[in-house]
Amino acid sequence: MNTQMKTIKNIGYILTFLGFLFFAGSIFTGSYKVTPEAYTNWINSKGIKSEYFIENTQKAIVDKEMSAWALSHEIIDQAKASNEFQKKQTEIDWNKIIHIKWNKTSKEYIFPLVKAAATGWFVDNTALWFFLTFGLAIIGGLMVFIPDYKLLGPAGIKNNGIFQHSATNRGIVGFVAAFFFVSFYVLLYFFPNYIVNPILAVDGISKSLSGNPASQWFLYGFMYCSVMTVFAVRMFIKYRHNKYQLIRTGVVLFFQIAFAFLLPEILVAFNQPWFDFKNAWPLNYSFFFDWNINGLISSGNLGIFMFVWGILLTVIIVPVMVYFYGKRWYCSWVCGCGGLAETLGDPYRQLSDKSLFSWKVERWLIHTVLAFATIMTLLTLYIYFAEIPSWKELFWGISVYDVQTLYGFLIGSIFSGVIGTGFYPILGNRVWCRFGCPLAAYMGLVQRFKSRFRITTNGGQCISCGNCSTYCEQGIDVRSYAQKGQNIVRSSCVGCGVCSAVCPRGVLKLENGPNTDASRTEVSDVTLGNDIDLLEMLKKND
Amino acid sequence: MKNVVIIGNGIAGVTAARHIRKKSDHKITIISGETDYFFSRTALMYIFMGHMKFEHTQPYENWFWKKNRIDLVKAFVTKVDTVSKTVSLDNNTNLNYDDLIIATGSKPNKFGWPGQDLKGVSGMYSKQDLDAITESSKDCHRAVIVGGGLIGIEMAEMLASKNIPVTFLVRETSFWNGVLPEGESDMVNRHIREHHIDLKLQTGLSEIISDENGRAKAIVTDKGETIACNLVGLTAGVSPNIDFLKDSTIELGRGVMVNRKLETSVPNVYAIGDCAQQHEGIGERRPIEAVWYTGKMMGETVARTICGEPSDYTPGHWFNSAKFLDIEYQTYGWVWAQPKENEGRFYWEHKDGKKCVHFNYDKNTRKFIGLNTFGIRLRHNMFDKWLKEERSVEHVLEHLKDANFDPEFYDQHETEILEKFNQENNTNLVSKKKSWKRILQNAINL
């Protein structure tokens, strides 16, 4: 029985590997041919004014079969040459200068043209191509995890070998995985022009959902949901004895697929704004940006409802829910970032740093990001109501647009994506949620000072083994509280419930009780097992 | 300012050190030859299984000791001279003390079996034991565990987790049935076998046979069966680790004899934890208690005494816990393997055979005496309260929902449990809804 299961598992590994190999390998292949119409559309839509660039680039690329790399480099080279040419003119026409920035030009200028220029096998065989990438990876992934139902033995905590395996103990496999994750995020955020072939794999699905061809964000969304689904199956098997984990995993997967992926695409199909109803400011940092506000309030009643809902969500729903249930209702039941962390990230949860030092870093960093997000939003609202254009200098040579761009780059892309997810196999699965997420910081304040939520410690039963601290993805030293018999109330706790699950002595319970303040963490000496004569002690202290 | 020397960096010694530091400015030195820093002995198995690394079992970061001015000395103590108040170390240095705390824990029992000191034969108590087991497990084709207690089943689980075939010799007729009543013990028997561990009941060890390199290659059971194996775990209980005190003036029994203040026969010398032996067991407790929790309590008590607040060791109501492979066990109060004359019992087992609760009460007064729970977590604080308030078994059963400590959404069995009790006792008890008010209330002083 177990041998057959192992065979299935090994075939699964091979299929998954092939899927990923095709996916990643396709970056280095494929041909792109820019048609004259596509070229003209592109020039017009990007508002390019330099005749020098328009003419020379046309000669260089139109109606020629090229690779994505050659095409992209040609456009950059032409733009540079054009800028040099313009700057040599006696009177420089600044409208004809093409601004080149490494983190913007590829995604904003080059990507749409490359996407439109795709030809050949990948375009003609989208269904087969989908099967060879997503199909193989998903089927393979399921074949890897489902045999665990038998292989792991009777239901229970089976963290066997986690710190002895290269993939989950910062070994070579972990570093290779991190390299691939980081590379993917860098390409996705800054150079989508090189991942057009992977995007083509989901073109058909995008068209059938919203009617539009797939963007890099559709690829990301679809991939996100697939990965979460496969790893949710892993969670369902691993924690089949633990109903809290089963329900939580099911719910967070539902919110990702229904609210973050399907519903927004369906809205677009009905000519409504793309909107994720569960994405609350300040995690959704662009909610109050002028283009978003204008886009929503110009979209009729539904758009206005979305705008009001977004405000209600942040101002009322989030804090009230945190008061009743702790921030877990969001972070590990609803949130997309949390959803990925709790599925794909689960094998890496033990890698979070538990030192006191890292707790200090955490508090400084996450509250700084919250302050940054708040200030940026206040500035945005100020210029919105004062009707100042966002590109106009506000102070010290900085415009609000600059502030927004900086936040989007540093926090939105680098911190939450490249570091937050890319470094799962090195730093653990909740780096973003612990150190960076401004919404988590906001909810953390409510949870810490006024909430019914706490992790109750079961009297004196703790044996200081350290499983709870080791498997806390948020780097909370749970044991340091449990061994004192003190309940745990920490702003960073996302209530994943794994400390309670891995405890061999039944010491920890996530619960919501009637006392909501500091009394949640009062230690009762009596439950530590020592019968102290309290009256006598009082007398002595007098 | 006194000079306090503590021998042993386990839970008892370290708890004493921490509390002495909290209460005083005394100079504190902890001596241990086992490891540089305090670690949780109960977690050694998880290192072997790969759930944790050794550093994860250390409850305090390494800077903690210096910051709290607790000096650590890595050495074994060879001799204690209570006249000159010095301890001699195996690195040929001596340390003076004003107060000495002996907290050296236990060592695995060996009953003079032939071959008990061969390579590949080990107890499962110290870091050194773990290292030895890790080494000999690398090429292990079968392991035999001798002795069916808490450490034995842990060791069986460890080795089985590495897909090593395990034979588990248990001298008793059923696993740990000197402590567990029949129902619970049988449940664990079944669970051990479910994990494909070859459980041999009523079987002991006769001898261990060596190969040509001095490593175990087989064992012979007391039934004459030879089992080929190259790893043997000796887990037939532990006894106080006090050999180095043989030549001292301190009174010894099986452990270091202490009074209720944990003072030994020699002034300024104390003993705590597994190695301490009470002249008479406290209440129903054994004179030697080799349990994590009691080590902690004794450490705290002795700290009070040393810091000028002489205190008796007064453990509260008994509690303990363990995990048998996948099944968690907690106990509150007393449930003996065999009921005493005045005791009534009520046992409920879930149909999946992996959960049960066993109540013990006084047949005449209906007073609740204790409970075993398997596969259902219960709230320590509630049972401590009920035991203090001397509640009846009916009261406990009616309010059992207050004590449920399982994670949210778990199936709850209180109603089913109560129905069975009603049937057996012709009662009409009704389960009370969980009340936070009762949970948060302190015990009523009687």
Side-chain angles (χ1 to χ4, degrees):
Chain A
M1 189 67 177
N2 275 3
T3 349
Q4 290 160 349
M5 290 294 153
K6 272 183 199 150
T7 313
I8 295 175
K9 201 174 171 78
N10 288 333
I11 295 172
Y13 276 121
I14 294 168
L15 293 184
T16 312
F17 180 74
L18 280 176
F20 275 96
L21 193 71
F22 293 144
F23 185 90
S26 73
I27 291 168
F28 305 100
T29 174
S31 58
Y32 297 82
K33 194 170 164 188
V34 181
T35 62
E37 306 82 57
Y39 185 71
T40 321
N41 286 342
W42 178 65
I43 293 291
N44 292 338
S45 70
K46 294 296 158 200
I48 296 166
K49 300 276 187 310
S50 165
E51 299 86 1
Y52 182 95
F53 175 84
I54 296 172
E55 274 169 38
N56 287 313
T57 311
Q58 180 160 26
K59 276 183 216 151
I61 66 172
V62 169
D63 276 337
K64 288 184 177 150
E65 281 212 3
M66 306 171 86
S67 71
W69 304 83
L71 181 56
S72 303
H73 280 280
E74 189 61 45
I75 297 169
I76 299 273
D77 290 345
Q78 291 293 346
K80 281 182 187 160
S82 163
N83 286 349
E84 251 172 61
F85 170 81
Q86 302 294 355
K87 282 179 190 166
K88 275 189 204 141
Q89 305 304 308
T90 40
E91 202 171 312
I92 301 172
D93 184 347
W94 290 102
N95 280 331
K96 293 182 178 175
I97 299 290
I98 300 163
H99 295 284
I100 303 175
K101 270 186 125 180
W102 74 267
N103 59 345
K104 292 207 144 198
T105 312
S106 289
K107 82 173 159 190
E108 285 172 10
Y109 273 83
I110 302 173
F111 171 63
L113 186 65
V114 178
K115 177 87 203 313
T119 58
W121 191 87
F122 293 106
V123 184
D124 300 336
N125 298 285
T126 44
L128 178 60
W129 179 225
F130 174 79
F131 175 77
L132 288 176
T133 50
F134 281 91
L136 289 184
I138 292 171
I139 294 167
L142 293 175
M143 285 171 73
V144 167
F145 294 133
I146 290 173
D148 283 347
Y149 191 86
K150 283 279 170 232
L151 290 173
L152 290 179
I157 293 299
K158 300 291 147 73
N159 287 327
N160 299 339
I162 284 192
F163 279 102
Q164 294 152 347
H165 196 288
S166 168
T168 49
N169 185 31
R170 296 195 189 106
I172 184 79
V173 179
F175 276 92
V176 169
F179 172 77
F180 276 101
F181 289 172
V182 169
S183 310
F184 175 74
Y185 274 96
V186 169
L187 292 176
L188 176 77
Y189 283 134
F190 307 118
F191 305 102
N193 45 320
Y194 301 127
I195 52 169
V196 168
N197 289 336
I199 294 170
L200 287 171
V202 290
D203 227 25
I205 296 168
S206 179
K207 282 178 184 156
S208 63
L209 270 176
S210 65
N212 298 326
S215 66
Q216 74 269 44
W217 302 119
F218 185 86
L219 168 73
Y220 185 46
F222 187 82
M223 220 171 131
Y224 209 100
C225 293
S226 318
V227 167
M228 267 184 68
T229 308
V230 172
F231 277 79
V233 170
R234 173 185 169 279
M235 288 293 281
F236 291 142
I237 291 167
K238 179 171 180 182
Y239 288 108
R240 61 188 186 277
H241 58 290
N242 188 318
K243 272 203 176 164
Y244 182 79
Q245 297 303 331
L246 295 179
I247 296 173
R248 188 177 62 75
T249 305
V251 170
V252 78
L253 182 65
F254 165 78
F255 271 99
Q256 172 59 30
I257 293 177
F259 280 78
F261 182 68
L262 289 179
L263 190 58
E265 293 297 329
I266 292 166
L267 285 169
V268 171
F270 287 95
N271 282 322
Q272 298 296 333
W274 193 104
F275 192 78
D276 179 351
F277 281 91
K278 62 169 181 55
N279 197 2
W281 181 90
L283 173 60
N284 182 7
Y285 59 90
S286 59
F287 184 76
F288 291 104
F289 285 8
D290 53 353
W291 53 263
N292 192 49
I293 299 180
N294 291 337
L296 290 177
I297 54 184
S298 65
S299 301
N301 286 338
L302 183 62
I304 290 167
F305 170 73
M306 288 167 175
F307 183 61
V308 175
W309 167 261
I311 294 171
L312 284 180
L313 186 60
T314 297
V315 178
I316 296 174
I317 300 172
V318 162
V320 168
M321 289 287 280
V322 175
Y323 171 80
F324 281 106
Y325 304 109
K327 73 196 237 190
R328 56 184 173 149
W329 82 271
Y330 195 87
C331 298
S332 61
W333 285 75
V334 168
C335 178
C337 307
L340 193 70
E342 296 293 343
T343 48
L344 172 67
D346 180 71
Y348 306 115
R349 57 171 55 251
Q350 68 282 357
L351 300 174
S352 61
D353 192 331
K354 314 302 188 302
S355 66
L356 197 63
F357 173 76
S358 69
W359 185 17
K360 278 185 191 156
V361 172
E362 165 196 315
R363 283 176 293 174
W364 275 103
L365 215 50
I366 195 166
H367 294 119
T368 306
V369 175
L370 177 61
F372 187 4
T374 309
I375 291 165
M376 174 188 70
T377 304
L378 289 176
L379 288 173
T380 302
L381 288 172
Y382 165 70
I383 60 156
Y384 184 80
F385 288 112
E387 298 186 353
I388 302 168
S390 65
W391 47 264
K392 204 172 160 200
E393 179 192 335
L394 213 56
F395 51 83
W396 308 329
I398 302 168
S399 70
V400 170
Y401 178 76
D402 293 334
V403 179
Q404 293 173 341
T405 312
L406 184 71
Y407 187 94
F409 174 71
L410 279 183
I411 310 298
S413 303
I414 299 291
F415 203 159
S416 78
V418 178
I419 299 175
T421 309
F423 281 84
Y424 271 11
I426 310 298
L427 301 174
N429 57 333
R430 284 277 193 175
V431 174
W432 162 245
C433 314
R434 179 186 180 191
F435 295 100
C437 177
L439 179 59
Y442 163 41
M443 292 192 292
L445 292 170
V446 181
Q447 172 160 294
R448 168 75 178 73
F449 294 107
K450 200 74 192 167
S451 167
R452 293 168 60 91
F453 175 70
R454 83 291 313 269
I455 303 176
T456 304
T457 296
N458 202 6
Q461 291 281 23
C462 176
I463 50 165
S464 302
C465 70
N467 272 295
C468 52
S469 295
T470 304
Y471 288 91
C472 177
E473 54 190 355
Q474 289 284 19
I476 299 171
D477 190 359
V478 184
R479 166 175 57 191
S480 68
Y481 300 86
Q483 65 192 0
K484 286 188 282 200
Q486 186 179 34
N487 293 350
I488 295 116
V489 172
R490 276 278 290 267
S491 54
S492 66
C493 175
V494 292
C496 68
V498 169
C499 58
S500 163
V502 297
C503 176
R505 304 297 179 110
V507 174
L508 301 160
K509 177 171 164 67
L510 281 65
E511 57 186 357
N512 314 307
N515 48 339
T516 57
D517 47 22
S519 68
R520 284 176 291 169
T521 56
E522 270 167 17
V523 182
S524 153
D525 278 335
V526 180
T527 50
L528 289 175
N530 235 346
D531 257 356
I532 299 163
D533 193 333
L534 294 170
L535 279 174
E536 201 173 312
M537 280 182 87
L538 272 175
K539 275 184 222 153
K540 269 183 197 160
N541 290 340
D542 282 342
Chain B
M1 196 176 96
K2 285 195 282 193
N3 176 13
V4 181
V5 171
I6 302 168
I7 311 176
N9 70 348
I11 180 65
V14 163
T15 306
R18 282 178 42 246
H19 284 272
I20 294 170
R21 178 50 73 242
K22 269 193 198 169
K23 292 171 198 287
S24 77
D25 218 20
H26 296 324
K27 177 176 162 58
I28 304 170
T29 308
I30 301 180
I31 308 168
S32 167
E34 185 184 17
T35 52
D36 293 326
Y37 301 104
F38 168 52
F39 70 98
S40 174
R41 189 171 304 291
T42 47
L44 281 175
M45 63 182 290
Y46 298 111
I47 302 169
F48 181 88
M49 292 163 75
H51 294 207
M52 287 192 271
K53 292 205 255 193
F54 181 68
E55 66 250 36
H56 296 118
T57 67
Q58 295 178 176
Y60 304 98
E61 288 186 64
N62 293 350
W63 49 258
F64 174 89
W65 309 99
K66 199 168 174 191
K67 187 180 168 235
N68 289 291
R69 290 170 292 122
I70 297 172
D71 297 335
L72 304 177
V73 173
K74 192 171 183 193
F76 286 104
V77 173
T78 51
K79 214 182 110 198
V80 175
D81 184 338
T82 51
V83 179
S84 63
K85 289 191 161 185
T86 50
V87 292
S88 308
L89 307 180
D90 64 350
N91 57 14
N92 295 322
T93 55
N94 293 318
L95 280 178
N96 296 319
Y97 67 82
D98 296 323
D99 280 334
L100 178 69
I101 302 173
I102 300 163
T104 47
S106 308
K107 59 179 192 328
N109 286 336
K110 290 182 176 182
F111 293 112
W113 293 296
Q116 66 182 19
D117 295 317
L118 289 170
K119 274 185 268 176
V121 181
S122 176
M124 171 58 206
Y125 186 83
S126 63
K127 173 72 167 58
Q128 284 71 24
D129 290 342
L130 181 79
D131 294 341
I133 295 166
T134 306
E135 190 51 42
S136 38
S137 71
K138 282 177 186 160
D139 60 350
C140 178
H141 61 84
R142 172 167 291 275
V144 173
I145 314 290
V146 182
L150 296 177
I151 300 180
I153 193 168
E154 280 182 8
M155 198 169 167
E157 179 181 2
M158 282 162 57
L159 295 162
S161 81
K162 296 280 174 219
N163 294 319
I164 294 170
V166 178
T167 299
F168 190 13
L169 306 188
V170 173
R171 206 182 45 183
E172 294 78 21
T173 52
S174 178
F175 176 80
W176 213 36
N177 67 357
V179 176
L180 296 179
E182 197 187 336
E184 291 95 309
S185 173
D186 193 51
M187 174 178 290
V188 182
N189 289 343
R190 293 195 306 265
H191 190 54
I192 291 171
R193 290 184 170 129
E194 187 189 3
H195 276 264
H196 307 294
I197 292 164
D198 173 26
L199 175 66
K200 289 190 191 298
L201 297 172
Q202 287 181 282
T203 310
L205 175 69
S206 288
E207 69 166 306
I208 306 168
I209 302 166
S210 173
D211 67 7
E212 59 277 17
N213 302 315
R215 177 167 177 183
K217 69 167 185 186
I219 62 115
V220 182
T221 69
D222 57 3
K223 292 181 173 162
E225 188 188 356
T226 304
I227 301 169
C229 63
N230 51 2
L231 198 167
V232 181
L234 300 180
T235 57
V238 294
S239 44
N241 176 28
I242 53 165
D243 291 346
F244 69 102
L245 295 173
K246 288 268 155 70
D247 303 328
S248 74
T249 52
I250 303 165
E251 186 194 347
L252 304 177
R254 278 180 55 225
V256 183
M257 301 307 296
V258 292
N259 62 17
R260 286 293 290 268
K261 290 202 166 55
L262 305 167
E263 297 161 329
T264 66
S265 59
V266 177
N268 300 105
V269 179
Y270 306 83
I272 56 175
D274 290 16
C275 68
Q277 180 177 359
Q278 288 286 330
H279 291 282
E280 259 173 59
I282 300 169
E284 309 272 8
R285 289 165 183 260
R286 294 174 186 178
I288 298 174
E289 296 176 292
V291 181
W292 180 266
Y293 313 111
T294 51
K296 218 168 154 176
M297 289 179 225
M298 287 188 227
E300 204 222 320
T301 308
V302 83
R304 271 187 269 137
T305 302
I306 285 178
C307 296
E309 218 184 294
S311 307
D312 278 357
Y313 166 54
T314 48
H317 288 282
W318 173 257
F319 66 94
N320 200 2
S321 63
K323 193 174 179 188
F324 303 109
L325 298 148
D326 299 314
I327 300 181
E328 287 173 23
Y329 153 69
Q330 295 177 335
T331 186
Y332 299 105
W334 298 111
V335 186
W336 316 104
Q338 300 297 331
K340 296 183 178 178
E341 205 161 304
N342 62 323
E343 288 176 358
R345 294 292 175 91
F346 167 65
Y347 181 77
W348 169 89
E349 188 175 303
H350 188 254
K351 60 179 181 309
D352 72 4
K354 289 191 181 183
K355 291 174 188 164
C356 70
V357 284
H358 203 155
F359 286 78
N360 186 22
Y361 57 92
D362 190 302
K363 274 194 289 201
N364 309 314
T365 63
R366 309 302 290 174
K367 192 179 94 175
F368 170 71
I369 299 173
L371 159 138
N372 282 341
T373 173
F374 282 67
I376 299 175
R377 295 176 172 179
L378 293 172
R379 220 179 271 269
H380 183 182
N381 148 43
M382 288 312 294
F383 279 94
D384 198 59
K385 215 159 23 184
W386 287 330
L387 287 163
K388 278 202 181 99
E389 295 171 356
E390 305 197 337
R391 296 292 187 178
S392 67
V393 65
E394 286 82 6
H395 179 92
V396 172
L397 273 157
E398 280 181 322
H399 295 87
L400 202 54
K401 283 182 180 167
D402 290 351
N404 189 308
F405 204 71
D406 268 339
E408 292 149 304
F409 306 116
Y410 269 43
D411 293 340
Q412 304 207 343
H413 307 288
E414 291 83 6
T415 315
E416 202 188 316
I417 293 168
L418 197 58
E419 268 167 24
K420 186 167 188 238
F421 183 86
N422 279 336
Q423 258 173 26
E424 288 179 8
N425 295 273
N426 276 325
T427 46
N428 284 308
L429 303 179
V430 180
S431 204
K432 297 263 194 306
K433 266 170 72 180
K434 171 179 170 180
S435 155
W436 268 103
K437 203 178 146 205
R438 285 194 297 262
I439 293 170
L440 296 175
Q441 213 165 43
N442 286 325
I444 302 159
N445 278 319
L446 294 173

